[in-house]
Amino acid sequence: MSLRFRVLGSGSTGNATLVEGGGVSILLDAGLGPRDLAERLQSVGVDPASLAAVFLSHEHQDHARGAVSFSRKWGVRLGAEEFAGYDVLEAEAPRAIGELTVRGVPVPHDAAGPYAFVVANGGATLGHATDFGHVGRSFVDAFRDCDAVLVECNHDPDLLRRGEYPWSLKERILG
């Protein structure tokens, strides 16, 4: 069994990662607009309508911006409870999507129930984490046996303080 993953977008402008295995394709986050998501998927040879599900790590726009519109346009299920036509992903309860299994791992972040993910296809596992405050024991335990780990690490406090964001957002991020 194997897994393949591709980062379609990362950072403040939008996050999305394609994960494929066992003939199943899913997206982790949909922070790009629906047209941009579709174009990026097509550019790597994936039909947007062929996705089995989209899982959202949390509700912030850079992770969820295109989720609802993309889901409606392409008929793809959402693994998030904030939206109509969704499937709830419960912490630490694996969700089978065809040959893939997706498990949400709670992480510290200023959002409503944020997750990192562990995706498995048989014996192959991918740990995927974006936007989390610190590495805790449950995170380490969940990712310990992963074959590959993708972690978004773009927090730079000095750059943030000098950047163009409003101070209220800077305070939230620095907190």
Side-chain angles (χ1 to χ4, degrees):
M1 301 291 184
S2 65
L3 285 170
R4 183 165 72 173
F5 61 95
R6 298 178 184 142
V7 175
L8 303 177
S10 176
S12 305
T13 58
N15 295 274
T17 301
L18 172 67
V19 181
E20 300 171 291
V24 177
S25 300
I26 62 171
L27 270 184
L28 301 179
D29 287 332
L32 303 163
R35 182 180 303 139
D36 197 8
L37 274 172
E39 288 173 359
R40 291 181 191 208
L41 285 163
Q42 290 165 341
S43 76
V44 297
V46 175
D47 176 3
S50 72
L51 292 178
V54 175
F55 290 92
L56 301 179
S57 60
H58 61 288
E59 77 281 5
H60 293 162
Q61 287 299 297
D62 58 328
H63 294 265
R65 177 179 300 115
V68 173
S69 297
F70 183 87
S71 173
R72 286 184 186 138
K73 178 170 176 70
W74 299 103
V76 177
R77 294 292 293 176
L78 289 176
E81 62 183 299
E82 291 87 8
F83 307 108
Y86 64 86
D87 294 315
V88 177
L89 180 66
E90 296 180 23
E92 302 297 342
R95 169 73 53 80
I97 305 292
E99 296 293 317
L100 299 181
T101 302
V102 180
R103 182 167 51 105
V105 178
V107 292
H109 185 50
D110 65 334
Y115 290 123
F117 299 104
V118 175
V119 181
N121 179 26
T125 56
L126 165 69
H128 180 277
T130 61
D131 282 9
F132 59 99
H134 62 274
V135 174
R137 174 60 42 207
S138 63
F139 179 92
V140 171
D141 291 344
F143 280 44
R144 178 180 319 275
D145 295 324
C146 289
D147 297 300
V149 174
L150 187 152
V151 177
E152 179 190 46
C153 298
N154 63 3
H155 183 70
D156 182 335
D158 293 329
L159 182 62
L160 176 62
R161 285 185 185 95
R162 293 191 312 267
E164 298 177 13
Y165 291 136
W167 184 247
S168 61
L169 180 57
K170 291 178 184 183
E171 285 180 313
R172 192 196 85 193
I173 294 169
L174 290 168

